């Protein structure tokens, strides 16, 4: 049987085993990001997925993700998501099983005040893990 050319209706699914996640991605202080689904790993054009591990007592540092929207699913631990609003820092404290949405360009940081590592699954609206680290605080001094 002759091999058929791949088209949009016949592109193969791709399996990315957990043991093959790549750490070759943008990193921030206290947070380890692992890439699973991306342009580099599977040829994705419009989505990036991976996971992040935040060690106990650490934080990611202030950053934003450029024009990417980010969806976050909390797998384990008790991460805290901090952003500025109306001149004050706001702290979101999701539990495992909860989701967090981070709009494009929004400065924020992830913290882990707990005694166990926090693990989250990340999905972004670009094929790259855009991380722009920021100096200073999240609110104007």
């Amino acid at each position: 049987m002759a091999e058929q050319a791949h088209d949009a209706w016949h592109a193969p699914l791709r399996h990315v085993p957990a043991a093959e996640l790549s750490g070759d991605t943008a990193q921030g202080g206290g947070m380890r990001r692992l890439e699973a689904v991306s342009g580099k790993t599977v040829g994705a054009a419009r989505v990036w997925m991976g996971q992040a591990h935040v060690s106990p007592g650490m934080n990611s540092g202030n950053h934003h993700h450029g024009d990417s929207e980010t969806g976050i699913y909390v797998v384990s631990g008790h991460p805290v998501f901090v952003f500025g609003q109306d001149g004050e820092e706001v702290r979101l404290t999701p539990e495992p099983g909860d989701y967090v949405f981070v709009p494009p360009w929004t400065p924020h940081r992830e913290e882990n005040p707990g005694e166990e590592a926090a693990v989250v699954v990340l999905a972004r609206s670009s094929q790259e893990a855009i991380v722009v680290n920021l100096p200073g605080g999240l609110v104007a001094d």
Side-chain angles (χ1 to χ4, degrees), residues 114-128:
E115 296 182 9
E116 65 177 303
V119 179
V120 299
V121 170
L122 306 165
R124 297 214 176 97
S125 61
S126 67
Q127 74 276 9
E128 291 185 40

Side-chain angles (χ1 to χ4, degrees), residues 29-102:
M31 181 178 232
R32 175 112 169 105
R33 294 178 183 91
L34 299 171
E35 184 173 48
V37 174
S38 70
K40 287 190 296 188
T41 61
V42 299
R46 294 184 297 273
V47 68
W48 184 98
M49 283 189 75
Q51 54 182 248
H53 297 246
V54 184
S55 298
M58 299 298 287
N59 74 67
S60 66
N62 298 332
H63 63 280
H64 67 74
H65 301 292
D67 63 356
S68 289
E69 293 181 325
T70 303
I72 301 168
Y73 173 75
V74 179
V75 175
S76 63
H78 298 280
V80 175
F81 297 85
V82 186
F83 64 100
Q85 183 175 21
D86 299 326
E88 295 189 15
E89 284 192 355
V90 177
R91 302 172 72 77
L92 302 178
T93 57
E95 297 291 324
D98 291 350
Y99 293 82
V100 174
F101 173 70
V102 180

